């Protein structure tokens, strides 16, 4: 069996791994690149023939793992896409949303070009029709059920505890000298993540491909993070401002709602006006509510977001509803995408709040280098948003304890569960972080580890 590292190699986004052997070709994830030059890379031809891929195993719905599926299908993929039921539900709305954004962007760029007399026509990377065409390829699977892909290859998903439906993957295959096993971590969740279960640990493998988003960092504890959030909200409202949460519509938005709900039930916050300014978040929240089988015990009781007392939740779906929020000067909690501020309605809210010292921006997720979110977190004084220069005067909070990713200690625990000393490939991290994590894995766990470069191949 041969493995090729085609994405998320010495970078955080674009997850894609290619397995060739035992008469089959399998992809694990088919993700989009985000951040600098993302669009350019996403438009490059695939480094394989999509028509020859038999299966795509999809670890979870986030676009950096799933976002190029419509392109894969339009370019000739005729195999099956295997993923969990909840991921299949979530990925459908995420891909439509992604197509919609790209269609709008292409339209805007074309218009701009015509206005300037260049008459260049921009095409979206894929359209809503391409998304529709890819949906029949999905097969919906359950956690922990081993299935055969024929020719001696079997696989199963276990719970990665990252977002609803997220999985780590175990794949058994015929290697040199008998059956071997490779495990893909997918994105590993944090212990104590709200709503969903803690990540499941796998105990044996010959090879492991592990993410390293936070391979060099420790998150603050959950209690400390919650205190920080309460403090941020109370201080902001006292000063007469609004609180902005740039958040992924899928996963993070539901986590924030869950915490706010919990804090109200505990009497630590009250009378909240929460605006969820994202049609995608509304749909995603409905999917969360429809899949209580994926929740942990605490969340089954607490995650009744629409009926919460002490908190008014406004889901805004139209542009007009969204614009009404602009008139609110204080006392609003606004949750909007995109999580890294690269697009989406959060930018409109920046225009109305970012320059006001009485407002706050709370980042709860990883900010990829080169994104607007990362610039703000790193302390930039002014940013260009929607064609306007805007001063960053709002208070910026980064609360790592709410991350959907395991930190260094939790990644080491996850890797430490393997009893038989697998070989470790480290992916899905900024280059310096992955390299630092490589050393730590070797020193702390005494495992052979390496950080593959993009396009590198290994015989398993
Ligand atoms: Zn993810």
């Amino acid at each position: 069996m041969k493995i090729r590292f085609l994405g998320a190699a010495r970078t955080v986004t674009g997850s894609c791994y290619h397995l060739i052997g035992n008469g089959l070709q399998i992809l694990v994830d088919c993700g989009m690149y985000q951040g600098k030059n993302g669009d350019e890379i996403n438009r490059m031809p695939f480094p394989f023939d999509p028509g020859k891929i038999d299966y795509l195993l999809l670890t979870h719905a986030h676009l950096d793992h799933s976002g190029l599926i419509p392109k894969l299908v339009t370019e000739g993929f005729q195999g099956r896409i295997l993923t969990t039921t909840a991921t299949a539900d979530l990925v459908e709305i995420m891909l439509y949303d992604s197509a919609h954004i790209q269609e709008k962007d292409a339209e805007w760029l074309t218009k701009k070009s015509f206005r300037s007399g260049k008459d260049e026509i921009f095409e979206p990377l894929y359209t809503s029709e391409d998304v529709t065409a890819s949906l029949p390829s999905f097969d919906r699977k359950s956690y922990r059920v081993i299935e055969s892909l024929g020719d001696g290859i079997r696989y199963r998903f276990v719970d990665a505890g990252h977002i609803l439906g997220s999985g780590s993957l175990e794949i058994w295959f015929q290697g040199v000298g008998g059956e071997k096993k490779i495990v893909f971590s997918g994105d590993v969740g944090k212990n104590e993540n709200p709503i969903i279960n803690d990540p499941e640990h796998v105990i044996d493998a010959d090879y492991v491909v592990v993410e390293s988003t936070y391979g060099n960092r420790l998150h603050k504890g959950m209690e400390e993070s919650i205190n920080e959030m309460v403090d941020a909200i109370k201080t902001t409202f006292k000063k007469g401002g609004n609180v902005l949460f740039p958040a992924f519509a899928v996963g993070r938005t539901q986590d924030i709602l869950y915490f706010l709900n919990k804090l109200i039930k505990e009497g630590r916050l009250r009378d909240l006006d929460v605006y969820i300014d994202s049609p995608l978040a509304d749909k995603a929240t409905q999917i969360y509510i429809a899949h209580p089988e994926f929740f942990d015990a605490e969340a089954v009781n607490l995650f009744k977001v629409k009926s919460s007392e002490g908190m008014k939740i406004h889901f805004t779906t139209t542009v007009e509803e969204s614009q009404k929020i602009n008139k609110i000067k204080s006392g609003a909690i606004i949750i909007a995408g995109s999580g890294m501020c690269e697009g989406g309605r959060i930018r409109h809210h920046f225009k109305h709040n970012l320059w006001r010292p009485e407002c706050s921006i709370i980042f709860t997720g990883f900010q990829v280098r080169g994104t607007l979110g990362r610039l703000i977190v790193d302390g930039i004084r002014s940013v260009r948003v929607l064609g306007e220069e805007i001063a960053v005067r709002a208070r910026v909070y980064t609360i790592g304890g709410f991350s959907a990713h395991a930190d260094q200690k939790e990644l080491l625990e996850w890797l430490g569960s393997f009893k038989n000393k697998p070989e470790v490939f480290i992916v899905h991290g900024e280059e310096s972080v992955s390299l630092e994590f490589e050393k730590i894995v070797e020193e702390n766990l005494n495992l052979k580890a390496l950080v593959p470069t993009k396009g590198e191949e290994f015989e398993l």
Side-chain angles (χ1 to χ4, degrees):
M1 179 70 77
K2 187 160 80 177
I3 183 169
R4 303 171 68 208
F5 290 86
L6 303 181
R10 301 194 176 215
T11 184
V12 187
T13 62
S15 281
C16 187
Y17 316 103
H18 187 189
L19 292 168
I20 308 159
N22 299 182
L24 288 178
Q25 292 203 34
I26 297 169
L27 281 190
V28 174
D29 290 345
C30 189
M32 253 179 171
Y33 277 86
Q34 291 158 334
K36 214 175 165 196
N37 305 333
D39 190 51
E40 210 176 295
I41 305 172
N42 291 330
R43 285 174 189 272
M44 284 180 357
F46 286 115
F48 51 79
D49 177 356
K52 295 225 165 84
I53 304 291
D54 301 286
Y55 295 99
L56 163 61
L57 303 178
L58 177 63
T59 61
H60 66 287
H62 279 150
L63 287 178
D64 62 319
H65 295 257
S66 69
L68 292 186
I69 289 174
K71 176 172 142 116
L72 184 75
V73 173
T74 358
E75 293 187 8
F77 172 77
Q78 293 189 334
R80 304 302 304 161
I81 303 173
L82 312 177
T83 195
T84 65
T85 50
T87 299
D89 283 349
L90 286 174
V91 86
E92 180 177 334
I93 59 166
M94 297 206 63
L95 291 177
Y96 275 119
D97 187 67
S98 164
H100 180 72
I101 291 171
Q102 291 166 55
E103 286 162 356
K104 287 267 166 247
D105 281 356
E107 200 183 295
W108 186 77
L109 286 169
T110 304
K111 215 171 169 184
K112 203 170 127 184
S113 159
F114 272 70
R115 258 202 315 255
S116 69
K118 289 196 193 117
D119 294 354
E120 197 181 343
I121 293 172
F122 289 81
E123 298 287 347
L125 180 59
Y126 51 80
T127 62
S128 306
E129 286 78 53
D130 298 332
V131 176
T132 306
S134 58
L135 297 180
S137 307
F138 280 86
D139 287 335
R140 307 152 76 84
K141 302 295 172 185
S142 302
Y143 285 134
R144 289 177 285 282
V145 178
I146 299 178
E147 287 198 2
S148 168
L149 298 178
D151 299 318
I153 303 187
R154 292 173 299 142
Y155 81 98
R156 73 168 174 179
F157 289 103
V158 295
D159 197 340
H162 170 63
I163 59 166
L164 193 76
S166 64
S168 301
L169 252 178
E170 296 174 86
I171 303 175
W172 293 263
F173 59 92
Q174 298 307 313
V176 189
E179 189 173 74
K180 298 269 160 117
K181 181 179 170 188
I182 183 165
V183 172
F184 290 84
S185 72
D187 285 5
V188 182
K190 250 165 46 61
N191 296 331
E192 291 184 275
N193 242 349
I195 307 171
I196 49 173
N197 291 301
D198 287 348
E200 265 179 81
H201 291 191
V202 184
I203 53 167
D204 63 318
D206 299 287
Y207 306 95
V208 176
V209 179
V210 67
E211 68 124 321
S212 58
T213 316
Y214 286 104
N216 66 339
R217 256 189 276 176
L218 297 176
H219 295 317
K220 279 182 206 156
M222 193 54 94
E223 204 44 49
E224 202 182 329
S225 301
I226 289 175
N227 291 343
E228 208 178 331
M229 180 161 105
V230 172
D231 191 53
I233 293 172
K234 283 187 167 169
T235 314
T236 309
F237 289 171
K238 213 186 268 170
K239 286 194 294 188
N242 294 322
V243 175
L244 265 54
F245 282 97
F248 275 133
V250 175
R252 188 48 39 80
T253 294
Q254 291 75 26
D255 291 352
I256 296 167
L257 278 181
Y258 170 90
F259 280 119
L260 293 175
N261 201 13
K262 189 171 151 85
L263 288 164
I264 283 168
K265 293 227 154 107
E266 290 169 3
R268 298 182 65 189
L269 290 173
R270 60 195 165 96
D271 301 330
L272 298 183
D273 253 328
V274 183
Y275 293 84
I276 300 177
D277 192 17
S278 153
L280 179 62
D282 186 11
K283 287 187 199 139
T285 305
Q286 299 319 315
I287 291 173
Y288 264 66
I289 292 169
H291 283 288
E293 72 275 17
F294 288 96
F295 289 11
D296 60 20
E298 199 189 2
V300 173
N301 295 323
L302 257 170
F303 197 74
K304 289 174 183 149
V305 288
K306 280 203 158 167
S307 60
S308 167
E309 281 167 36
M311 172 160 69
K312 261 197 223 128
I313 301 178
H314 316 259
F315 282 98
T316 58
T317 44
T318 65
V319 175
E320 292 73 39
E321 283 172 320
S322 172
Q323 280 166 349
K324 269 193 202 151
I325 308 173
N326 298 340
K327 300 211 173 75
I328 306 169
K329 293 287 166 265
S330 71
I333 292 178
I334 302 164
I335 307 175
S338 71
M340 301 183 211
C341 317
E342 278 301 88
R345 293 188 183 166
I346 193 71
R347 292 180 156 232
H348 292 274
H349 299 297
F350 276 176
K351 214 166 144 178
H352 295 270
N353 296 280
L354 196 60
W355 52 273
R356 299 173 55 210
E358 60 273 28
C359 293
S360 300
I361 320 290
I362 305 183
F363 288 95
T364 60
F366 187 79
Q367 302 298 311
V368 170
R369 191 175 284 163
T371 60
L372 179 61
R374 177 65 168 263
L375 292 173
I376 296 173
V377 165
D378 286 347
I380 197 164
R381 291 287 184 78
S382 96
V383 292
R384 212 169 164 75
V385 177
L386 304 168
E388 240 181 85
E389 200 67 24
I390 298 175
V392 184
R393 292 213 191 93
R395 170 124 185 229
V396 177
Y397 294 85
T398 323
I399 307 186
F402 293 153
S403 167
H405 284 272
D407 67 3
Q408 187 189 73
K409 179 168 160 278
E410 289 165 329
L411 284 173
L412 286 176
E413 274 167 25
W414 188 88
L415 271 178
S417 308
F418 290 96
K419 301 280 176 266
N420 56 341
K421 300 271 171 208
E423 250 178 73
V424 180
F425 298 100
I426 297 169
V427 296
H428 200 292
E430 283 175 4
E431 186 168 33
S432 61
V433 174
S434 295
L435 290 169
E436 196 179 325
F437 189 57
E438 175 190 12
K439 275 204 202 88
I440 288 174
V441 168
E442 286 178 339
E443 282 163 18
N444 289 37
L445 301 175
N446 198 19
L447 295 176
K448 198 175 143 206
L450 70 92
V451 184
T453 51
K454 190 175 176 180
E456 211 172 349
E457 324 183 335
F458 299 87
E459 201 60 52
L460 304 177

